[in-house]
Amino acid sequence: MERGNQTRSGNFILLGFSDDPDLQSLLFGLLLSMYLVTVLGKLLIILATISVSHLHTPMYFFLSNLFLADIGFTSYTIPKALRNIQTQRKVFSFAGCTSQIYFFVVFGCHENMLLTVMAYDRFIAVCHPLHYVKIPHFFCDIPEVVKLACSDTLINNVVVYSAAIILGVFPLTGILFSFSQIFSSILRISSAEGMYKAFSTCGSHLLVVSLFYGTCLGVSLSSAASPSSRMSLMASVIYTMFTPMLNPFIYSLRNRHIKVALGRVLSKVATLSESSFA
C-alpha cells in the first residue's frame, strides 16, 4: 500500500481562538479573570473548610479534593493558552503536549471519581443515614471496623483473608525466594571479606522486612488470641509508627552514599542558616 506524504515534526502549532488582535485582547482578559476566580475562589473555600472544625465531614473533604482537582485541571490548560495569546507564540513542543494530555486525563479522571464518590455519600446520607459509632483505635483498622457490623461478617472475613493472602503471602514468598537465592550465593563465596560485603548489601533490607512482617504477624496473632481492642491498638502502633520511624536509620546508617549525601545537605542547610542570620 502506497503511503501518503508524511512530515515528521517534534512540535505542534496551537491555532487558538482567533487571529484578530482586538478579539485576542478580549479573550485574554476573559480567560485570565475566569482562571483567577476559579483558583482563588476554590482556594478560599478549601482554607475555610480546613479552618472551621464543624466542616470536617466527608462531604467537605471530598469537596476540597474536587476543588484541588479543578485547580489542577484548569492550571494545565488555561495558563498555556494565556501565554500563547500574550506572546503570539503558538508552537507547542511534543513533550509539552504529551504532558498536558497526561495531566488533563489524570485530573479529569480524578474529578469524575470524586463526583461519583460524592454522589454515593449523598445517597448514604439521605437514604441510609448513619449514626456515629466509636472505634477503639487510632485509625480505621479493618478488624475493628468489621467488629462493628450488625450482619454476618463471613463474606467480609473471606475477602479480608483473601486480600491478605494475595497482598501479603505472595509478596513474602517472593521475598523469601530472593533471599534464599542470595544466601546460597553468599555461601559459595570463599573469602570472609567477600561474604561480609555481599551480606551487608542486603542486610538493611532484610532487617526492615523482618520488622515489618514480624510486627504484622504479631498484630494478627494478638487479634486472634485476644479479642481485646486494647491489645490490637498497642500492636498496631508498632507497625504503623515504630517500624516506619526506624526505616530511615536502618537504610542510612550502613550506607556510605546516603551518609555523604546527608552530610552535603546538612552543610548546605547550615550555610544557608548562617547567611540568613549574617
Side-chain angles (χ1 to χ4, degrees):
M1 183 176 65
E2 184 179 356
R3 296 185 178 180
N5 186 22
Q6 296 179 351
T7 302
R8 294 190 177 185
S9 176
N11 298 320
F12 299 94
I13 297 177
L14 297 176
L15 297 179
F17 297 98
S18 174
D19 292 330
D20 187 357
D22 295 331
L23 184 58
Q24 284 191 340
S25 300
L26 177 63
L27 288 171
F28 181 84
L30 181 62
L31 289 176
L32 180 60
S33 60
M34 291 175 63
Y35 178 69
L36 291 177
V37 169
T38 299
V39 174
L40 296 178
K42 293 182 185 302
L43 286 177
L44 184 62
I45 296 176
I46 291 172
L47 291 175
T49 57
I50 293 174
S51 59
V52 180
S53 60
H54 70 267
L55 295 181
H56 296 172
T57 61
M59 184 62 186
Y60 288 102
F61 171 77
F62 293 132
L63 188 64
S64 299
N65 280 273
L66 179 67
F67 287 167
L68 288 175
D70 285 337
I71 292 173
F73 194 71
T74 56
S75 296
Y76 274 92
T77 54
I78 302 302
K80 179 60 179 178
L82 292 172
R83 178 176 175 272
N84 291 345
I85 294 174
Q86 184 69 20
T87 62
Q88 294 297 313
R89 187 177 183 273
K90 300 182 178 182
V91 178
F92 204 8
S93 67
F94 177 78
C97 185
T98 53
S99 63
Q100 189 181 65
I101 292 173
Y102 171 78
F103 286 107
F104 184 84
V105 172
V106 167
F107 285 114
C109 294
H110 186 199
E111 188 163 345
N112 287 331
M113 297 301 294
L114 284 171
L115 290 173
T116 304
V117 172
M118 290 172 70
Y120 182 73
D121 176 71
R122 293 299 86 197
F123 160 72
I124 293 295
V126 174
C127 301
H128 303 282
L130 298 175
H131 301 285
Y132 288 105
V133 180
K134 294 182 179 180
I135 301 176
H137 220 283
F138 68 97
F139 73 100
C140 290
D141 197 16
I142 295 176
E144 297 298 324
V145 175
V146 171
K147 288 178 183 178
L148 301 175
C150 299
S151 59
D152 186 17
T153 59
L154 176 61
I155 297 178
N156 304 79
N157 290 327
V158 169
V159 172
V160 169
Y161 288 122
S162 299
I165 292 173
I166 295 173
L167 301 177
V169 177
F170 287 168
L172 180 60
T173 303
I175 293 171
L176 293 177
F177 174 77
S178 299
F179 276 110
S180 65
Q181 297 299 311
I182 291 172
F183 288 144
S184 63
S185 299
I186 291 176
L187 293 175
R188 288 195 294 267
I189 299 176
S190 57
S191 64
E193 183 181 356
M195 293 179 64
Y196 175 78
K197 185 176 181 180
F199 183 77
S200 63
T201 59
C202 59
S204 299
H205 186 67
L206 179 61
L207 180 58
V208 170
V209 168
S210 302
L211 283 173
F212 179 77
Y213 281 98
T215 51
C216 289
L217 182 61
V219 170
S220 301
L221 293 177
S222 64
S223 300
S226 174
S228 174
S229 298
R230 194 70 181 175
M231 288 294 297
S232 176
L233 173 63
M234 298 305 297
S236 297
V237 171
I238 299 176
Y239 79 90
T240 58
M241 300 178 64
F242 185 70
T243 303
M245 179 189 70
L246 292 179
N247 285 350
F249 298 100
I250 294 173
Y251 279 113
S252 61
L253 290 178
R254 295 175 59 86
N255 193 312
R256 181 175 57 86
H257 299 288
I258 293 183
K259 288 181 181 179
V260 173
L262 287 175
R264 291 176 180 176
V265 171
L266 292 175
S267 63
K268 289 181 180 179
V269 171
T271 303
L272 290 174
S273 300
E274 292 175 359
S275 61
S276 61
F277 287 106

